[in-house]
Amino acid sequence: MHEMSLAMSVIDIVENAARAGNFRRVSTVWLEIGQLSAVEPEAMRFCFAAAARGTLADGAQLQIIEVNGRGLCFNCGETVPLAALYDPCPACGGYPVQATGGTEMRVKELEVE
Amino acid sequence: MCTTCGCGVGDTRVDGKALPDAGGQSAEGPSAESSSAESSSDGDPPGSNQASPKGAGNNPAASYRALAADGRARPTAHGFAHSHRHGETHTHAGGAPAEKAGTSTGHARLVQVEEDILSANNAFAAANRRHFAEHGIFALNLVSSPGSGKTTLLCRTIEALRATLPIAVIEGDQQTSRDAERIRASGVRAVQINTGKGCHLDAHMVGHACDDLQPDEDSLLLIENVGNLVCPAAFDLGEAHKVVILSVTEGDDKPLKYPAMFHAASLMLLNKVDLLPYVDFNVELAVDYARRVNPALQVVALSATSGEGFAAWLDWLQTASRQQQAGKRATIAALQQRISELEAQLAQHARS
């Protein structure tokens, strides 16, 4: 359940942005979460709601933009879509496929008042 | 601290002492102090030779040190008195968040942030890593499920290497200092971090543990993470490598079931191979699964109980430690070279 520490980091980032950007309420938070990152979107939603309580993001909507995984197949040399770290190459069926994208966890944008 | 799922930081202890909050409410949040007056007034860069904590009244790091249980004086010269100055290293992409032209109704507006969720932890990790490099300390983050034999592995490793290599250990567990006591009994210094309800170590905790531990110059620092094959994968501690330990009693399909950890590690130690005759575990299959997740993963099969295969692991450790020490010496040599060049230049200017 490391999503709780991640959710608290999101709130920290939002609070810092509030100081820098001079706003007092956040109504929506957009996160970019890679398919191959260590974040379960549903757990993140649950933890975000708990972590936001009593902060300027209390009750804010959490929008999660899922970023598809990508990988380089060592077998056929193609860059291919990758749904999980252990999946075979969808082009040639071979292994291994080195993850090259979809591992991000970012706070992208805020809607603020 | 989270009181909902229990994964919080409020209960974290380093050798029984409360850990100061890294900033705001998160263990990964030096950012929260970036604009506070106290942190910016105490602006020595990490690594400065600060003999005694100043502003102890309002410096959380200082008050933490004052609480040291055994009363040892703790100079902060190692640069780990970092946490509450990290604000400087932490900036939002492009300074103040950029606002988009298109705003919605009323006073609502959109603010672009574009910041990695782990950026605060990563800033702490970078400071730890810099410190380790400057002092030739080779740091490993040992990760596995509970019961894979990490502590037994550490004890045997220490026994084999302590005569030739200074070693220090950071132990992470939710509760008790049993592991640190086991390690101390093997004759090296150890600090216990209790994460309370937390499920992983983070770079902030490790920085403070190092403040206490003060690992020797050119030493080996072994960090035993909380037994958990999931969460520690995401948190960089500043280590040179993550080493994942998989024991043969756990099942050969663990790399597929918990891929993130095997993806994050550089080396897999396949432990308890002395039990292979008694369990249904296919070594080749386990290695194949692990390399599907991480093609570059190195593997050593060993038994911390019988000592089988241990020589390969000790070799790996000693070679990598020497590389870290050589890296430090190369940096120092380059700096000294630069100093003599500058002195020569200065002398020329003085003559002209």
Side-chain angles (χ1 to χ4, degrees):
Chain A
M1 209 50 173
H2 58 289
E3 278 83 359
M4 182 46 83
S5 11
L6 298 179
M8 295 197 297
S9 295
V10 170
I11 297 295
D12 282 344
I13 290 170
V14 168
E15 285 180 336
N16 278 314
R19 270 192 286 271
N22 202 23
F23 53 84
R24 286 191 300 274
R25 286 288 308 155
V26 175
S27 48
T28 312
V29 176
W30 279 270
L31 299 185
E32 220 171 37
I33 302 290
Q35 210 175 6
L36 305 177
S37 74
V39 174
E40 190 53 53
E42 279 319 302
M44 181 54 113
R45 273 181 223 287
F46 174 79
C47 293
F48 177 80
R53 217 168 286 153
T55 73
L56 79 171
D58 201 340
Q61 234 195 334
L62 186 69
Q63 298 281 357
I64 296 181
I65 305 162
E66 288 201 53
V67 180
N68 288 334
R70 283 183 310 283
L72 173 70
C73 176
F74 280 30
N75 196 42
C76 68
E78 291 293 311
T79 295
V80 291
L82 190 64
L85 288 171
Y86 47 81
D87 271 358
C89 171
C92 73
Y95 293 107
V97 185
Q98 175 80 57
T100 55
T103 55
E104 51 274 88
M105 304 188 261
R106 295 172 71 77
V107 179
K108 191 163 175 53
E109 205 167 32
L110 309 172
E111 185 179 31
V112 305
E113 287 160 28
Chain B
M1 179 188 58
C2 162
T3 50
T4 308
C5 84
C7 180
V9 295
D11 293 337
T12 304
R13 295 272 185 283
V14 176
D15 266 3
K17 302 180 294 287
L19 191 72
D21 200 343
Q25 48 182 319
S26 163
E28 292 76 51
S31 54
E33 290 187 273
S34 57
S35 56
S36 77
E38 306 94 275
S39 65
S40 53
S41 68
D42 190 9
D44 300 84
S48 68
N49 275 327
Q50 189 187 356
S52 65
K54 55 182 175 181
N58 57 10
N59 181 340
S63 53
Y64 158 81
R65 275 189 298 277
L67 286 173
D70 57 4
R72 269 183 296 155
R74 300 193 196 288
T76 58
H78 270 55
F80 282 108
H82 57 209
S83 51
H84 312 290
R85 304 184 189 123
H86 266 198
E88 299 91 68
T89 69
H90 172 88
T91 53
H92 301 283
E99 277 178 44
K100 270 193 174 175
T103 56
S104 54
T105 54
H107 296 297
R109 58 196 165 105
L110 292 175
V111 175
Q112 271 186 309
V113 181
E114 297 286 354
E115 184 165 339
D116 195 302
I117 295 175
L118 286 170
S119 57
N121 182 70
N122 292 345
F124 283 130
N128 290 349
R129 185 165 284 118
R130 194 164 51 242
H131 174 83
F132 295 148
E134 282 166 3
H135 295 274
I137 299 166
F138 181 58
L140 290 180
N141 178 1
L142 299 157
V143 290
S144 79
S145 57
S148 67
K150 284 192 297 296
T151 312
T152 307
L153 181 99
L154 285 190
C155 289
R156 194 173 186 115
T157 306
I158 290 163
E159 203 180 305
L161 293 182
R162 54 180 287 213
T164 52
L165 188 62
I167 303 176
V169 176
I170 296 173
E171 281 288 341
D173 280 302
Q174 283 202 325
Q175 299 294 349
T176 84
S177 56
R178 298 174 74 100
D179 277 0
E181 284 155 18
R182 264 177 85 183
I183 297 294
R184 283 182 199 127
S186 72
V188 300
R189 281 182 298 144
V191 162
Q192 179 81 48
I193 301 177
N194 285 130
T195 56
K197 293 165 185 166
C199 53
H200 56 266
L201 296 181
D202 63 45
H204 177 246
M205 298 174 194
V206 167
H208 276 286
C210 285
D211 252 355
D212 254 21
L213 192 59
Q214 306 270 346
D216 288 332
E217 205 72 14
D218 296 334
S219 63
L220 171 64
L221 175 63
L222 299 165
I223 306 166
E224 182 179 335
N225 217 312
V226 177
N228 176 343
L229 214 42
V230 184
C231 309
F235 295 84
D236 184 4
L237 306 181
E239 73 273 357
H241 300 285
K242 283 191 178 71
V243 176
V244 63
I245 295 123
L246 174 67
S247 62
V248 302
T249 51
E250 293 169 63
D252 45 28
D253 55 357
K254 285 291 174 294
L256 295 188
K257 289 177 169 172
Y258 301 94
M261 192 63 88
F262 293 86
H263 186 250
S266 318
L267 173 69
M268 173 167 85
L269 297 178
L270 201 56
N271 194 20
K272 307 191 189 178
V273 291
D274 54 315
L275 298 181
L276 275 173
Y278 312 104
V279 292
D280 183 19
F281 186 97
N282 183 332
V283 172
E284 272 176 38
L285 199 59
V287 173
D288 179 54
Y289 286 157
R291 289 204 171 125
R292 281 188 202 180
V293 172
N294 179 358
L297 189 68
Q298 301 176 66
V299 180
V300 173
L302 52 74
S303 165
T305 312
S306 74
E308 184 184 342
F310 226 71
W313 155 239
L314 296 178
D315 261 6
W316 187 92
L317 269 178
Q318 284 166 314
T319 308
S321 281
R322 277 195 293 269
Q323 279 169 0
Q324 181 84 346
Q325 294 161 17
K328 181 193 86 171
R329 284 195 297 273
T331 307
I332 292 173
L335 287 172
Q336 279 166 342
Q337 165 93 23
R338 183 82 188 114
I339 287 172
S340 16
E341 280 169 15
L342 289 172
E343 276 172 344
Q345 263 182 27
L346 197 62
Q348 211 150 28
H349 279 293
R351 275 198 297 275
S352 60

